[in-house]
Amino acid sequence: MTDLHRLSIRELAEGLSQAKFSSRELTEHYLKRIAKIDPLVKSYVTVTPEQALAEADAADAALKAGNATALTGIPLAHKDIFCTKGIKTTAGSKILDNFISPYDATVVEKTKAAGLVTLGKVNMDEFAMGSTSESSYVGATSNPWALDHVPGGSSGGSAAAVAADLAPFATGTDTGGSIRQPASFCGLTGLKPTYGRVSRFGIIAYASSLDQAGPMARSAEDCAYLMNVIAGHDAKDSTSVKKEVDDYVANLNGTSVKGLRIGIPKQYFNVAGLDTDVKTRVEESLKKLEEMGATLVEIDLNMTEAYVPTYYLIAPAEASSNLSRYDGVRYGYRCENPADLMDLYKRSRSEGFGPEVQRRILIGTYALSAGYYDAYYVKAQKVRRLIQQDFLKAFENVDVIAAPAAPTTAYKIGASLDPVEMYLGDIYTIAVNLAGLPAINAPVGFDKDNLPVGLQLIGNYWSESQLLSIVHQYQQNTDWHTKRAAIAEENA
Ligand code: GLN
């Protein structure tokens, strides 16, 4: 079969269980596509063909023996931020260029236990800091819709791999939008779960109170399958929550769009940098949901102006603390011929970290330093609480909140936005992480340059099933999620 890459996760699972094709055939099909097409897209940092084929053979044996799970034998790609035993994990940084983890992240352990086949590790912004994936030390990844554009970030490799049909689905992480924004830029569906829903154990930490892993795929249905595997309490992550996990696949039709109250924040649609095509496509998608029976309710989110400054104090502060462990002694890159211990620290870190990571370490260390702690860090924490309360107040009157995922479509590679300009592009995603809420991106059309536009729906705590269900029904009534970039149409 030449078109295995066009099948949904459900179709792949059916095909495998009915022995229409084997996991080995499917895995070889993807490996062939990666070999041919990825040199143009550059989504993979590491491809692991031998391990993938061994896993595929084990999956085929399990399928034959009748002890397969729903997803046994289906391939996926992991963002290079998830620790993988025996396979390099770089987090896009030179400082971890030679790092091989002695253990698997819980998410990876779970995908393995479910019989999923790991194709490899995909590119990302260095330590997940960025919105373009250009800050990766291995270089930029291309957007499959326009190769001279970025796929977004930080999970840009995950998004590009799926959008070019170089993996059926992928894992990502989202600290301030890194699942939703690249999903938006590449025309995919991506879910950022409630903080605590998915274990952070073995995920290279950026900002620990904001980091959360989630699925990136073509549709809400595909995302639901991966959520069923990765969600759940983990004793190894003290912030993961002991709460029963929904069956996200079974619940795909569980929420009625009829009567659903969708909040439209006044402040969000008046943001200065909001592109007119993005605004129009998002409004059209909301009209569609209205036709399907939803009610649009105008709401106020008065803290909108505080999102960017608050996030860009808290996230760098946590990062500066998390990244202090990379000292050239215990992990990763070490400078050559250090004169003494201080020289070893200084040069290993200056040579090992890229400019954006260094910028954030500086900002974060400053915000946490003795004389400024109260004025910056503590104040930001107080504002963070107000932002959360703003959302909770809104949820008294609406079921979900709608927003663009990003104010623009994908940027050109090398557009070299100045840092503040880039930070402002995170306006629609970062507050969700500050509040710990779940949110989803769904593709809702294209701009004048044929670049994808995304609608974001933000839910109350633990509403992952509801978000997936709403998007699933939208996708039953529209076909944006079925559109493929020209490069994905190519056969290997
Ligand atoms: N763009 C945001 C940042 O640079 C979000 C990144 C993320 O979610 N990892 O911090």
Side-chain angles (χ1 to χ4, degrees):
M1 282 174 102
T2 54
D3 57 354
L4 288 173
H5 57 279
R6 300 189 130 268
L7 302 182
S8 70
I9 300 299
R10 181 171 46 77
E11 290 165 336
L12 288 174
E14 280 166 11
L16 285 165
S17 70
Q18 293 163 14
K20 285 191 188 146
F21 46 84
S22 66
S23 174
R24 177 169 263 270
E25 279 172 88
L26 178 61
T27 303
E28 278 174 347
H29 180 81
Y30 272 102
L31 290 171
K32 240 204 251 162
R33 289 185 63 78
I34 293 168
K36 177 169 174 209
I37 296 167
D38 204 46
L40 298 170
V41 180
K42 299 185 281 300
S43 60
Y44 281 82
V45 179
T46 308
V47 188
T48 52
E50 278 169 36
Q51 183 183 321
L53 291 172
E55 287 174 356
D57 289 342
D60 284 329
L63 283 157
K64 265 208 192 97
N67 51 22
T69 78
L71 300 184
T72 295
I74 299 179
L76 92 168
H78 286 299
K79 184 176 181 178
D80 207 19
I81 199 167
F82 292 89
C83 283
T84 40
K85 192 175 171 176
I87 301 170
K88 231 170 44 159
T89 299
T90 71
S93 183
K94 178 175 168 186
I95 214 156
L96 285 176
D97 185 26
N98 56 7
F99 176 62
I100 296 184
S101 167
Y103 58 85
D104 280 326
T106 296
V107 164
V108 173
E109 213 176 80
K110 280 172 175 271
T111 61
K112 279 188 180 170
L116 286 158
V117 171
T118 303
L119 294 168
K121 309 286 295 286
V122 281
N123 204 16
M124 54 182 283
D125 278 301
E126 185 176 3
F127 284 105
M129 297 172 192
S131 308
T132 65
S133 299
E134 289 170 290
S135 71
S136 166
Y137 86 110
V138 299
T141 294
S142 281
N143 187 315
W145 290 92
L147 295 176
D148 57 347
H149 283 62
V150 303
S154 66
S155 313
S158 310
V162 177
D165 279 336
L166 304 176
F169 52 13
T171 54
T173 60
D174 190 313
T175 302
S178 280
I179 287 176
R180 292 160 284 157
Q181 184 258 24
S184 171
F185 279 15
C186 290
L188 300 177
T189 309
L191 174 73
K192 182 259 170 210
T194 305
Y195 185 77
R197 179 71 298 177
V198 177
S199 169
R200 291 184 298 110
F201 179 77
I203 297 174
I204 308 249
Y206 162 14
S208 305
S209 77
L210 306 165
D211 296 344
Q212 189 62 196
M216 301 174 72
R218 292 224 169 256
S219 65
E221 185 185 71
D222 290 359
C223 283
Y225 276 102
L226 191 49
M227 268 304 278
N228 272 3
V229 173
I230 64 174
H233 174 252
D234 178 13
K236 294 186 200 136
D237 171 7
S238 61
T239 62
S240 85
V241 176
K242 264 196 191 136
K243 185 176 167 47
E244 214 184 309
V245 179
D246 291 343
D247 182 336
Y248 301 101
V249 176
N251 286 347
L252 279 168
N253 290 307
T255 300
S256 172
V257 174
K258 220 175 225 127
L260 188 79
R261 296 162 305 166
I262 304 179
I264 313 292
K266 256 188 260 165
Q267 291 78 358
Y268 282 24
F269 290 82
N270 291 323
V271 164
L274 178 57
D275 178 88
T276 51
D277 284 355
V278 171
K279 188 172 183 210
T280 310
R281 291 298 96 77
V282 166
E283 282 169 354
E284 287 165 0
S285 70
L286 292 170
K287 203 165 268 156
K288 181 76 201 174
L289 284 162
E290 210 175 14
E291 277 168 38
M292 290 166 61
T295 312
L296 307 184
V297 185
E298 197 173 74
I299 60 167
D300 270 306
L301 286 175
N302 289 310
M303 297 300 295
T304 304
E305 272 185 18
Y307 294 173
V308 174
T310 306
Y311 174 87
Y312 277 99
L313 279 167
I314 290 174
E318 294 186 13
S320 82
S321 163
N322 275 327
L323 271 56
S324 65
R325 74 188 71 173
Y326 306 104
D327 55 7
V329 177
R330 288 166 294 180
Y331 295 102
Y333 177 80
R334 178 180 298 171
C335 70
E336 276 179 31
N337 307 319
D340 53 29
L341 184 62
M342 205 39 99
D343 186 46
L344 169 88
Y345 287 153
K346 278 190 187 162
R347 280 204 292 122
S348 298
R349 287 170 67 85
S350 310
E351 292 165 19
F353 290 132
E356 183 59 32
V357 173
Q358 293 192 24
R359 181 176 298 118
R360 300 213 189 178
I361 292 173
L362 287 172
I363 295 171
T365 307
Y366 183 81
L368 289 176
S369 59
Y372 298 101
Y373 183 79
D374 288 327
Y376 292 115
Y377 183 70
V378 172
K379 200 167 196 179
Q381 291 290 12
K382 289 180 181 165
V383 179
R384 177 180 188 170
R385 178 55 62 90
L386 295 176
I387 291 170
Q388 180 201 29
Q389 285 170 351
D390 215 17
F391 277 112
L392 293 182
K393 214 173 103 216
F395 283 125
E396 287 172 11
N397 299 311
V398 298
D399 302 303
V400 293
I401 295 170
T408 66
T409 53
Y411 320 111
K412 263 214 155 124
I413 291 179
S416 59
L417 306 180
D418 85 66
V420 174
E421 236 180 291
M422 195 178 82
Y423 302 164
L424 288 171
D426 296 332
I427 178 91
Y428 295 122
T429 46
I430 49 188
V432 165
N433 303 70
L434 289 169
L437 295 165
I440 195 166
N441 176 75
V444 294
F446 298 88
D447 73 358
K448 57 184 179 320
D449 300 318
N450 199 38
L451 291 164
V453 173
L455 163 73
Q456 179 183 205
L457 293 176
I458 304 165
N460 209 335
Y461 297 107
W462 316 110
S463 66
E464 288 80 5
S465 274
Q466 185 191 28
L467 294 175
L468 289 164
S469 176
I470 296 164
V471 171
H472 177 65
Q473 289 167 70
Y474 174 82
Q475 291 178 337
Q476 300 303 294
N477 286 277
T478 53
D479 65 357
W480 299 117
H481 65 294
T482 67
K483 306 280 185 214
R484 278 172 154 78
I487 200 163
E489 303 282 3
E490 269 180 45
N491 285 322

